[in-house]
């Protein structure tokens, strides 16, 4: 049963943070988007129209505040597309961003950071830290900061803060969080100094507090200044929650107006940007503990993707505001839909991390929301009704078919979906069986709800052929018939006494799995790693052979790290740089991809071959060949790919018809 608007008494209520009045408790958290401008040396670090539109979209969606991350100085940028907020060339862009979000009753908060020891660049220019040491998540060493450099960087923080205030922003947030320089002064792992900025607690906290004091003096007491604070580094040799709470109290006593909670580091980045293996609301307890020691407003964070969950956090006094990043990337209109009581239409983030971790030269996108990073063309208000409604037949109820049906129906076409199995959802019905992957079912849950709301007819247990298309007689056919997994031909396969199956069979029919399983990873993605996770969870003995340098070479890194931890705990054996040369009666002979050296592996009940898939496009080719009506191929029917590319393609085609 949906919770009505009046039940979100705290989430939708206003609050004062310092001198800043917020209309509700939704705060868009800071993040790296990769949407800044990089036109080469000395022309990087500039805010762009795309940057601005990204944050305006969340203001349109009803957020009370957007927090925009920037680098305070030009010497320590983590990536070339992060705006440098002390650069006067950004004045016009910063003013435009503030002016635009204000149109929607939203506040603009500028987060100031110094890249310090952390980098998205490979290799970086120069990294800085309190003491010289390689950051534990990379091989790059740091420069130990000299006293005059500390003063220089402090001045850049001040210049950046002043530029924000001069261009109409509402608050400044100093990053003492999961990445950047300031947290490292607080960490016993990174700060080995013996001068006035190291050693005792008072010395270690001195520089971050001095930065705050300098900013406060420059912007005045009538301007809101907060801190994004890492409460627990989650790294060996670092600090834990008790130390984080002491730091928060120190910042409160120094005069900051709020604390935005944070945790993790680049070394424990799976806690910093947690995948679905980390529970929803995993960090709420930190905010709850922080509320016991400080009296200033606290912003919660950590896999909060649902307004009911958010209201509970506020009602239980675990925080004063709700920080959302990936959820508002996935569905910018979460606040507006909450206000309207339309909770089932909220597209919940699944924490897959496949689009939003736009590191390096990549750019932030979203698996479910094609408008993320493409707000100008696919954002709120860009989907318009067609002036020429047509009858659209969608063949295939996988994600490509469902997404194309959703967009077609919202544009005003009459849409029907035909699926040969007994339910829609496609390969995600299998993917959600993998350990810690149940949330991926949200993708088809949302699409099914939107189709139901739009009155789209869904027909299951029906395989479409040319005759049925003629019977339905649509104006347009969108063919989303998917793909079939391929098991490559390998010598002597007929000699193997056990079963040789593909990943879809392994997930559909666990009775095909024995006690000793060999997985051949010929794809480097979820088809191999997720199936391995599934089989290990069932208690079987698993050996993996992969042609790549490591297992799951194309997996997103936060998911891969946590998955590998589970696999090794389950006793998995991994052999890299190798491929199956031939089968034997109870196993295989593998060969090293470089040396050719052969090894015999035996004792297997089942071999799971995770390789490529082949498009099921015969119906598309036949209908296209007839030429009687408009026909489009979508998804794996075009070429087997990941969800993100398929959803973008489906939306793009449906917007054109």
């Amino acid at each position: 049963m949906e919770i009505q608007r009046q039940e979100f008494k705290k989430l939708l209520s206003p609050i004062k943070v310092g001198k800043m009045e917020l209309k509700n408790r939704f705060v868009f958290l800071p993040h790296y988007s990769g949407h800044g401008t990089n036109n080469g040396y000395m022309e990087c670090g500039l805010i762009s129209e795309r940057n601005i539109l990204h944050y305006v979209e969340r203001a349109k969606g009803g957020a009370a505040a957007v927090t925009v991350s920037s680098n305070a100085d030009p010497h320590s940028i983590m990536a070339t597309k992060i705006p440098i907020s002390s650069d006067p060339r950004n004045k016009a862009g910063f003013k435009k961003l503030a002016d635009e979000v204000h149109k929607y009753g939203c506040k603009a908060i500028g987060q100031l950071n110094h890249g310090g020891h952390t980098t998205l660049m490979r290799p970086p220019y120069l990294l800085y830290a309190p003491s010289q040491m390689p950051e534990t998540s990379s091989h790059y060493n740091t420069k130990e900061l000299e006293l005059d450099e500390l003063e220089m960087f402090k001045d850049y923080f001040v210049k950046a803060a002043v530029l924000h205030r001069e261009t109409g922003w509402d608050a400044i947030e100093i990053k003492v969080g999961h990445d950047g320089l300031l947290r490292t002064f607080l960490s016993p792992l990174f700060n080995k100094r013996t001068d006035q900025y190291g050693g005792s607690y008072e010395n270690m906290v001195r520089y971050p507090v001095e930065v705050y004091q300098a900013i406060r003096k420059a912007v005045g007491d009538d301007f809101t200044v907060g801190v994004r604070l890492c409460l627990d580094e989650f790294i060996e040799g670092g600090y834990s929650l008790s130390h984080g709470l002491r730091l928060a109290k120190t910042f409160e006593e120094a005069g900051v107006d709020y604390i935005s909670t944070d945790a993790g580091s680049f070394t424990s980045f799976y806690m910093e940007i947690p995948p679905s293996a980390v529970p929803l609301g995993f960090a709420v307890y930190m905010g709850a503990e922080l509320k016991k020691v400080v009296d200033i407003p606290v912003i919660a964070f950590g896999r909060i993707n649902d307004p009911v969950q958010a209201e509970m956090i506020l009602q239980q006094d675990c925080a004063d505001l709700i920080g959302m990043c990936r959820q508002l990337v996935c569905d910018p209109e979460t606040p507006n839909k909450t206000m309207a009581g339309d909770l089932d239409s909220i597209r919940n983030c699944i924490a897959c991390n496949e689009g939003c971790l736009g590191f390096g030269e990549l750019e932030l996108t979203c698996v479910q929301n094609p408008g993320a990073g493409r707000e100008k063309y696919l954002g709120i208000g860009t989907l318009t009704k067609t002036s020429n409604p047509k009858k659209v037949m969608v063949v295939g109820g996988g994600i490509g078919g469902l997404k194309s049906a959703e967009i077609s129906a919202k544009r005003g076409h009459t849409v029907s979906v035909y699926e040969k199995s007994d339910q829609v959802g496609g390969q995600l019905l299998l993917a959600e069986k993998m350990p810690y992957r149940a949330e991926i079912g949200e993708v088809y849950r949302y699409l099914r709800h939107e189709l139901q709301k739009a009155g789209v007819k869904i027909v299951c247990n029906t395989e479409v052929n040319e005759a049925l298309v003629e019977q339905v007689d649509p104006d347009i056919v969108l063919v989303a018939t998917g793909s079939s997994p391929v098991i490559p031909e390998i010598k002597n396969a007929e000699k193997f006494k056990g079963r040789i199956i593909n990943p879809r069979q392994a997930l559909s029919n666990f009775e095909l799995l024995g006690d000793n399983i060999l997985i051949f990873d010929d794809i480097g993605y979820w088809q191999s790693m997720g199936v391995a996770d599934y089989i290990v969870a069932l208690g079987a003995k698993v050996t993996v052979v992969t042609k790549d340098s490591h297992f799951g070479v194309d997996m997103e890194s936060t998911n891969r790290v946590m998955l590998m931890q589970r696999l090794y705990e389950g006793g998995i054996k991994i052999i890299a740089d190798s491929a199956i040369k031939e089968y034997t009666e109870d196993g295989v002979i593998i060969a090293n991809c470089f040396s050719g050296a052969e090894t015999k592996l035996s004792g297997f009940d089942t071999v799971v071959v995770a390789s490529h898939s082949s498009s099921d496009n015969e119906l598309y080719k036949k209908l296209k060949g007839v030429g009687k009506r408009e026909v489009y191929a979508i998804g794996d029917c075009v070429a087997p790919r990941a969800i993100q590319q398929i959803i973008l393609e489906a939306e793009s085609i449906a917007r054109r018809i």
Side-chain angles (χ1 to χ4, degrees):
M1 183 178 72
E2 288 190 352
I3 293 181
Q4 299 303 312
R5 175 174 178 171
Q6 61 268 24
E7 296 187 32
F8 294 101
K9 294 178 180 178
K10 283 207 167 184
L11 184 59
L12 299 180
S13 66
I15 186 173
K16 189 172 184 180
V17 181
K19 303 297 182 182
M20 179 174 59
E21 297 271 359
L22 299 181
K23 64 182 181 180
N24 60 47
R25 308 298 178 95
F26 287 98
V27 177
F28 188 36
L29 293 177
H31 55 283
Y32 171 68
S33 69
H35 297 161
T37 299
N38 176 21
N39 293 325
Y41 182 65
M42 298 302 293
E43 294 297 331
C44 64
L46 303 180
I47 197 166
S48 66
E49 179 191 27
R50 192 178 179 198
N51 254 142
I52 295 168
L53 292 175
H54 177 70
Y55 293 99
V56 173
E57 185 88 344
R58 278 73 211 171
K60 285 182 184 178
V66 295
T67 315
V68 183
S69 183
S70 67
N71 207 86
D73 70 277
H75 300 286
S76 56
I77 52 177
M78 292 174 55
T80 56
K81 292 184 179 180
I82 298 176
I84 299 169
S85 51
S86 59
D87 191 330
R89 292 178 297 176
N90 278 320
K91 277 188 175 181
F94 275 35
K95 185 177 188 307
K96 183 173 179 59
L97 191 154
D99 290 346
E100 290 298 315
V101 302
H102 287 161
K103 292 178 181 178
Y104 301 95
C106 180
K107 304 298 184 182
I109 304 172
Q111 187 194 71
L112 310 183
N113 191 27
H114 178 295
H117 67 297
T118 46
T119 184
L120 303 177
M121 303 171 72
R122 297 289 187 269
Y125 295 130
L126 181 62
L127 303 180
Y128 298 88
S131 312
Q132 186 170 79
M133 63 177 294
E135 201 277 327
T136 51
S137 69
S138 74
H139 303 293
Y140 305 116
N141 213 327
T142 58
K143 179 188 188 301
E144 181 176 310
L145 278 159
E146 301 173 45
L147 294 179
D148 60 339
E149 290 173 319
L150 292 177
E151 290 302 312
M152 176 181 70
F153 290 136
K154 187 193 304 179
D155 289 343
Y156 274 116
F157 272 103
V158 171
K159 289 176 183 176
V162 170
L163 187 145
H164 279 90
R165 174 150 198 178
E166 289 178 345
T167 52
W169 291 54
D170 303 283
I172 287 297
E173 181 176 288
I174 304 166
K175 188 167 191 180
V176 193
H178 53 256
D179 59 54
L181 177 68
L182 297 183
R183 189 201 84 251
T184 57
F185 275 88
L186 309 176
S187 174
L189 177 62
F190 295 97
N191 189 347
K192 308 295 184 183
R193 296 176 77 99
T194 57
D195 63 3
Q196 67 266 41
Y197 293 108
S200 67
Y201 175 83
E202 291 73 19
N203 283 352
M204 293 175 75
V205 78
R206 188 186 308 278
Y207 186 63
V209 170
E210 284 182 354
V211 169
Y212 162 72
Q213 290 170 337
I215 288 174
R216 173 61 76 195
K217 182 178 179 181
V219 300
D221 292 334
D222 61 340
F223 194 69
T224 299
V225 181
V227 168
R228 183 88 193 270
L229 181 62
C230 175
L231 293 175
D232 191 331
E233 290 187 292
F234 287 108
I235 50 176
E236 186 176 352
Y239 66 79
S240 59
L241 179 59
S242 59
H243 187 72
L245 297 177
R246 184 182 181 188
L247 293 169
K249 189 64 179 177
T250 297
F251 281 112
E252 180 188 35
E253 291 170 350
V256 303
D257 293 307
Y258 70 88
I259 300 286
S260 180
T261 57
D262 184 34
S265 70
F266 264 36
T267 303
S268 55
F269 61 104
Y270 46 87
M271 300 303 291
E272 165 192 336
I273 312 172
S276 58
V278 177
L280 287 163
F282 79 97
V284 171
Y285 74 96
M286 298 183 195
E289 292 301 311
L290 182 57
K291 285 285 290 176
K292 297 175 183 177
V293 300
V294 300
D295 295 319
I296 54 178
V298 169
I299 302 177
F301 89 107
R303 297 216 58 215
I304 304 171
N305 73 348
D306 176 76
V308 177
Q309 174 196 21
E311 178 69 16
M312 182 177 66
I313 291 168
L314 298 174
Q315 291 286 356
Q316 294 180 352
D317 202 30
C318 297
D320 302 287
L321 298 107
I322 299 298
M324 290 182 173
C325 182
R326 288 176 293 174
Q327 175 55 33
L328 296 186
V329 170
C330 182
D331 193 341
E333 295 184 276
T334 299
N336 284 345
K337 291 176 181 178
T338 302
M339 286 184 269
D342 192 10
L343 303 189
D344 286 338
S345 287
I346 293 174
R347 188 169 47 221
N348 297 114
C349 169
I350 59 174
C352 64
N353 287 355
E354 301 228 351
C356 50
L357 291 193
F359 286 173
E361 294 307 310
L362 299 177
E363 300 167 338
L364 180 144
T365 56
C366 177
V367 163
Q368 294 193 73
N369 177 19
R374 306 179 184 93
E375 287 82 6
K376 184 174 182 177
Y377 304 102
L378 301 178
I380 298 170
T382 62
L383 186 65
T384 56
K385 291 284 188 178
T386 180
S387 59
N388 184 21
K390 296 180 179 179
K391 186 177 182 180
V392 178
M393 181 181 189
V394 178
V395 183
I399 299 307
L402 296 180
K403 187 65 182 181
S404 62
E406 177 209 9
I407 301 303
S408 298
K410 287 180 176 178
R411 292 192 60 225
H413 296 298
T414 301
V415 183
S416 57
V417 176
Y418 290 78
E419 165 58 37
K420 67 179 180 180
S421 71
D422 61 355
Q423 59 181 317
V424 297
Q427 292 184 55
L428 295 194
L429 297 169
L430 296 177
E432 66 183 355
K433 294 182 177 183
M434 298 175 185
Y436 302 101
R437 292 279 281 171
E439 286 181 67
I440 201 169
E442 165 62 19
V443 180
Y444 70 76
R445 192 285 311 167
Y446 165 79
L447 291 171
R448 287 193 306 195
H449 174 266
E450 294 301 289
L451 296 188
Q452 181 182 20
K453 191 166 70 169
V456 172
K457 177 184 176 183
I458 298 178
V459 182
C460 291
N461 297 308
T462 302
E463 186 161 3
V464 175
N465 53 29
E466 293 173 272
L468 182 57
V469 173
E470 287 300 314
Q471 179 182 330
V472 175
D473 193 25
D475 301 304
I476 299 172
V477 183
L478 304 180
V479 184
T481 43
S483 63
S484 299
V486 173
I487 297 181
E489 293 185 8
I490 297 175
K491 184 180 177 181
N492 293 330
E494 72 282 356
K495 290 185 177 181
F496 183 62
K497 300 299 184 182
R499 299 184 179 91
I500 302 173
I501 62 175
N502 63 61
R504 299 188 204 178
Q505 291 173 305
L507 292 168
S508 300
N509 305 284
F510 67 85
E511 66 273 11
L512 298 178
L513 303 169
D515 296 323
N516 196 353
I517 315 295
L518 176 70
I519 297 176
F520 179 41
D521 173 25
D522 192 31
I523 195 166
Y525 196 52
W526 279 106
Q527 293 94 324
S528 55
M529 284 203 84
V531 168
D533 201 16
Y534 175 77
I535 296 173
V536 167
L538 291 176
K541 182 180 178 182
V542 177
T543 299
V544 171
V545 174
T546 178
K547 295 195 299 185
D548 297 306
S549 60
H550 60 270
F551 186 29
V553 69
D554 286 334
M555 284 280 291
E556 183 278 322
S557 53
T558 61
N559 280 284
R560 183 180 181 276
V561 166
M562 300 194 79
L563 202 159
M564 288 298 295
Q565 291 171 349
R566 297 196 297 275
L567 293 180
Y568 278 119
E569 287 172 1
I572 196 168
K573 180 181 179 182
I574 299 173
I575 304 171
D577 295 327
S578 300
I580 298 176
K581 184 176 181 180
E582 62 180 284
Y583 286 92
T584 64
E585 285 192 357
D586 67 342
V588 297
I589 296 173
I590 63 171
N592 184 277
C593 297
F594 300 104
S595 70
E598 296 182 1
T599 303
K600 186 176 181 179
L601 305 175
S602 59
F604 299 107
D605 305 304
T606 309
V607 176
V608 181
V609 180
S611 188
H612 67 282
S613 297
S614 178
S615 296
D616 294 334
N617 54 19
E618 287 304 310
L619 179 64
Y620 167 73
K621 289 178 180 178
K622 289 177 182 178
L623 296 176
K624 187 82 169 177
V626 171
K628 184 176 180 180
R629 50 180 57 86
E630 288 184 63
V631 180
Y632 301 88
I634 291 172
D636 275 12
C637 178
V638 178
R641 287 156 293 160
I643 308 172
Q644 181 173 355
Q645 289 72 38
I646 289 171
I647 286 181
L648 172 61
E649 177 181 79
E651 171 137 354
S652 299
I653 289 174
R655 281 174 175 253
R656 294 202 308 265
I657 62 174

